Structures are given as structure tokens and as C-alpha cells.
Amino acid sequence: MRVVIAGAGSVGSSIARELLGNKHEILLIDEKPEVIGRSGLKGAKWLIGDACELTTLKDARLDEADVVVSATGDDKVNLVVSLLAKSEFGVGRTVGRVNNPKNDWMFDDSWGVDVAVNTPRLMTALVEEAVEIGDLVRLLTLQTGVSSIVEFTVPQDSPLVGGTIGAIRLPEDCAVVAVLRDDSPITPSPDDVVEGGDEMFFLAAIAAEDELRVALSARNDGTDG
């Protein structure tokens, strides 16, 4: 997969490092030549220039990119890059970093953003996750606000413990996509038995989150509690 990342700061470099480790082709765009030396990234390609300029994006061969990530510290730049990637180069998938939560509402398909990553909100969610065991925590909003990835840490005294994943009465627009147990990821199946402390990750329609919350607090015998 060919991924172009605009912004080689700490966020952009971290994303690039993970993707390089998974053998993807990475091109980073940044205005500052010095970022190349201090990034410590081996195997990445670089383009020094303004990612908001069409000429720079043409030099980056954006039309050949599978994904464009706008990861700068400036929301205006991230919006412009996403919009150009979609409208001028037909990129299939764009990911935009939101620096200021007040700008979250702009990061949608009208600006060419497929997935908005709100860094402050995500950090807040991860903090809340540590203290809100037994409740849903939204980690990421997908598809322009229609769907989300949510996490649920199963309390030790939850009625779900000992039952199977398939026995959980999930809303129609929800699916279990992963379980983290003892720091090890598990691909869930309906026959897997739920254990206390499991971190369950769901792909869910935002409109169905309340129903999902009820389902996760309900007993398998059909009574709530």
C-alpha cells in the first residue's frame, strides 16, 4: 500500500514508523528539510515542500496513493490537503488529524475527509477508558460521523462473564471486531467465552451506541441488571 503523509512531526513520524514496520511504501511531505535527519525513519521517501500546493502534491504522485494522511499541527492545512487529495487526485481514502476539537465538525466529506482523528479527544477517551470500566468509550469516529469504534472493558462482576460473545444481543448495526485479553489481541468468534477484564472493541453505528450500552449491561437470561 502506498501512503502519503503530510506533516513529519511527532504524529506523522509515528504513523510512518508503524506503517514502515508493516512493509508499506511511505512518502512524507514537510516544509522543513531538517525533519529528515531527526526523524530516524529508514526506508521512507521524502518530499520537501508545501503540501497545500498542487505542484507539491503532483510531485508526490498523489494520484498513485492508496491513502493520504494529513497529520500536520495546523487544522487548516489538514483540511486543504484532504480536499485536494479527494477532488484533484481522486485518492480513495483520506485520514485527517484534528488538532483543535472545536474544528471537529469541519472534518467530513465536504472537505474530503474520510476518517477524522481527533487527537485531544482520543487522548481524553483513553484516559476515560482507564476509569470508566463497564461503560462504552468512543475511540474513533468513522465515515463522516455515521459509525464509530467503541471500547468496552468487561467488569469482573459483569453478567456477560462466562457467557459467549454470540449470546450478547447486539443491535443490528454493531459488530465485535476485536478483543484484547492480557494485552494479547484476539479475533473474536461467537463461541468465545467472555472473561472479566476483556477489552471488547466494536464497530457501531453512532445511533446504535445507546442500544449497545444497554446490551452490554443486560443479563443473558433476558433481564437487565
Side-chain angles (χ1 to χ4, degrees):
M1 185 168 66
R2 185 169 189 266
V3 182
V4 176
I5 301 173
S10 58
V11 173
S13 295
S14 295
I15 295 170
R17 191 169 292 108
E18 291 290 331
L19 292 172
L20 285 167
N22 291 327
K23 310 300 181 185
H24 296 294
E25 180 185 346
I26 305 300
L27 171 69
L28 291 113
I29 304 174
D30 203 284
E31 289 186 293
K32 302 174 182 178
E34 60 268 24
V35 298
I36 299 177
R38 67 171 183 244
S39 70
L41 295 173
K42 295 181 180 180
K45 297 178 181 178
W46 293 85
L47 179 61
I48 302 303
D50 184 352
C52 291
E53 295 289 340
L54 272 174
T55 52
T56 302
L57 298 181
K58 287 178 180 176
D59 289 343
R61 306 192 333 270
L62 226 65
D63 57 324
E64 300 176 16
D66 297 294
V67 182
V68 169
V69 181
S70 305
T72 78
D74 188 326
D75 286 343
K76 296 188 295 295
V77 171
N78 294 341
L79 286 170
V80 170
V81 172
S82 297
L83 182 61
L84 291 175
K86 277 289 185 185
S87 62
E88 299 295 326
F89 298 93
V91 175
R93 188 166 184 80
T94 59
V95 179
R97 173 190 176 189
V98 186
N99 295 278
N100 186 339
K102 293 181 179 179
N103 296 331
D104 200 15
W105 64 275
M106 290 189 288
F107 282 74
D108 59 18
D109 57 352
S110 65
W111 277 94
V113 180
D114 291 318
V115 179
V117 181
N118 188 321
T119 307
R121 187 165 294 168
L122 179 58
M123 293 179 69
T124 300
L126 293 173
V127 171
E128 289 175 342
E129 175 189 343
V131 298
E132 292 188 11
I133 292 175
D135 195 13
L136 283 184
V137 177
R138 186 187 300 174
L139 300 180
L140 191 64
T141 300
L142 305 172
Q143 294 298 326
T144 64
V146 175
S147 302
S148 63
I149 293 177
V150 295
E151 185 271 353
F152 178 82
T153 300
V154 181
Q156 295 294 337
D157 60 351
S158 169
L160 300 178
V161 173
T164 62
I165 289 177
I168 303 173
R169 297 178 181 177
L170 297 177
E172 284 188 8
D173 297 330
C174 297
V176 185
V177 293
V179 175
L180 194 63
R181 180 178 295 162
D182 298 327
D183 296 325
S184 297
I186 299 170
T187 301
S189 73
D191 296 327
D192 286 331
V193 176
V194 178
E195 297 183 9
D198 280 354
E199 293 183 58
M200 305 181 71
F201 295 84
F202 299 85
L203 180 60
I206 290 176
E209 284 184 8
D210 286 342
E211 290 181 64
L212 177 59
R213 183 175 286 106
V214 171
L216 294 174
S217 64
R219 295 185 182 277
N220 292 333
D221 60 8
T223 61
D224 292 342

